Amino acid sequence: MRFFLGLTALITIATACTIPSTPLSNNIASNFRVQVQNASYPQVHNKYMNLMVSGGGDRHLYVGGSPQVGDTTTNLRLINGSINWVSINAVIGGEESNVDDTVKMFMTERGDPRALFQPTYACNPDTDQLQVELRFVGKQNAPTGGWICVRPSFDNSHEFRYYPPGNTKSDPNRFCIKVTLVAVPT
Ligand SMILES: *[C@@H]1O[C@H](CO)[C@@H](O)[C@H](O)[C@H]1NC(C)=O
Ligand SMILES: *[C@@H]1O[C@H](CO)[C@@H](O)[C@H](O)[C@H]1NC(C)=O
């Protein structure tokens, strides 16, 4: 029995994906999609971030929906830690919620504080394949930390929100699910 347990542990180690030792820069100069992961929440797990046209050239960000909310977007880039699409960038601002103290993340060309990310190698929790996660660093010009979460929105979609560092609140009616964001090359 002891032997078999030991063997299982060995096999587990042997199949874990290999993390390259070279750290990634905070620029990704080739196209990617953003995949959302949280295996505890099948309604969002492994689905992609889509961009919905909004006023003034802005795009609002959604995952899922029936029918899908927002346009499939395969040409995102990362510039200095900022998720970029054509001439707009992911920022944090607006639609602040008093119930859980979260704030909207959306894309604009205006100068709102950006959402900053650090690409980091990790093993996919389902497939064990190497993946590049966009680890959330923080909101520009604000204390570092916090995370990105997604909360229920219209047509069974979820919208992207910023959960600030030190926050403990949650909205029982629109629970904001903490998610891992992954840059999937296209
Ligand atoms: C990225 O950051 C570098 C160093 O701070 C700066 O020189 C460069 O202009 C920035 N690039 C963009 C596109 O903001
Ligand atoms: C999934 O969401 C829950 C609730 O927000 C969170 O506690 C947990 O850390 C998340 N899991 C991952 C892997 O992000």
Side-chain angles (χ1 to χ4, degrees):
M1 192 57 190
R2 192 172 280 272
F3 170 76
F4 281 110
L5 284 173
L7 193 62
T8 306
L10 273 180
I11 289 167
T12 305
I13 291 163
T15 56
C17 87
T18 305
I19 306 286
S21 55
T22 320
L24 290 160
S25 94
N26 64 355
N27 288 281
I28 301 177
S30 54
N31 293 339
F32 63 84
R33 291 178 90 178
V34 169
Q35 188 183 51
V36 169
Q37 295 177 355
N38 186 327
S40 305
Y41 294 86
Q43 63 269 45
V44 297
H45 185 53
N46 286 342
K47 296 186 179 174
Y48 290 90
M49 184 175 86
N50 297 314
L51 276 59
M52 191 184 82
V53 176
S54 183
D58 292 359
R59 296 289 186 280
H60 288 184
L61 304 173
Y62 295 91
V63 59
S66 48
Q68 175 181 306
V69 174
D71 302 319
T72 298
T73 305
T74 58
N75 57 339
L76 297 167
R77 301 281 180 95
L78 196 74
I79 301 176
N80 281 357
S82 176
I83 298 175
N84 165 265
W85 180 74
V86 189
S87 61
I88 62 178
N89 289 282
V91 303
I92 291 165
E95 296 181 18
E96 187 156 356
S97 163
N98 296 324
V99 182
D100 64 2
D101 282 347
T102 63
V103 181
K104 192 178 186 71
M105 179 171 84
F106 68 104
M107 298 187 80
T108 185
E109 63 180 6
R110 294 189 307 280
D112 307 64
R114 293 182 176 189
L116 298 174
F117 298 88
Q118 173 59 49
T120 306
Y121 287 118
C123 302
N124 181 294
D126 298 332
T127 66
D128 200 36
Q129 296 296 302
L130 187 67
Q131 66 183 16
V132 174
E133 298 182 358
L134 299 177
R135 296 267 173 92
F136 185 64
V137 174
K139 174 181 167 181
Q140 189 179 28
N141 302 327
T144 55
W147 56 75
I148 299 300
C149 60
V150 296
R151 76 173 187 186
S153 188
F154 64 95
D155 288 350
N156 295 314
S157 68
H158 283 67
E159 60 173 0
F160 289 76
R161 311 277 299 175
Y162 163 68
Y163 194 91
N167 189 20
T168 54
K169 292 183 177 178
S170 79
D171 183 342
N173 298 315
R174 295 180 82 185
F175 179 68
C176 201
I177 305 161
K178 181 184 182 184
V179 288
T180 301
L181 302 183
V182 179
V184 178
T186 56

